Amino acid sequence: MGRRKRKQQVYRPQRKPPKIFSCPHCGSNSMKVKEIKVDKEEGTGSATIRCGNCGLEESFPAGPLTEPVDVYGDLIDAFYGEGD
Ligand SMILES: [Zn+2]
């Protein structure tokens, strides 16, 4: 049995949710979350998502657990309208 060689921890890509989304307005794959700002004390903040192609930009409330994919979800809800 070989000894387990301790591998140096190189940058290990974790399974992250995607950060680039397709824009509901122009359909281009250029939708990116610009920033998620959260006040650590209050636990509230805002997130901005923007399309690099058509310039569609929206901001939504964010919290400490807000991920880019959540911001995108908010955008989709806002864009298409919630419910019927
Ligand atoms: Zn767009």
Side-chain angles (χ1 to χ4, degrees):
M1 287 305 215
R3 274 188 309 168
R4 250 202 298 180
K5 204 171 166 190
R6 193 165 183 189
K7 255 203 212 161
Q8 226 181 351
Q9 278 255 331
V10 202
Y11 170 71
R12 190 180 209 181
Q14 289 180 326
R15 222 185 291 165
K16 284 187 212 160
K19 278 194 181 154
I20 299 181
F21 309 96
S22 60
C23 174
H25 182 240
C26 68
S28 153
N29 232 27
S30 307
M31 205 90 220
K32 263 197 254 185
V33 172
K34 250 168 70 175
E35 61 177 355
I36 300 177
K37 268 197 278 189
V38 177
D39 187 310
K40 279 186 187 158
E41 281 174 25
E42 306 225 349
T44 58
S46 68
T48 306
I49 188 166
R50 184 176 196 280
C51 173
N53 186 53
C54 71
L56 176 71
E57 183 173 321
E58 295 284 347
S59 294
F60 300 99
L65 299 177
T66 299
E67 301 277 353
V69 68
D70 300 321
V71 185
Y72 181 64
D74 283 345
L75 173 81
I76 294 298
D77 283 348
F79 193 83
Y80 293 108
E82 289 178 82
D84 292 319

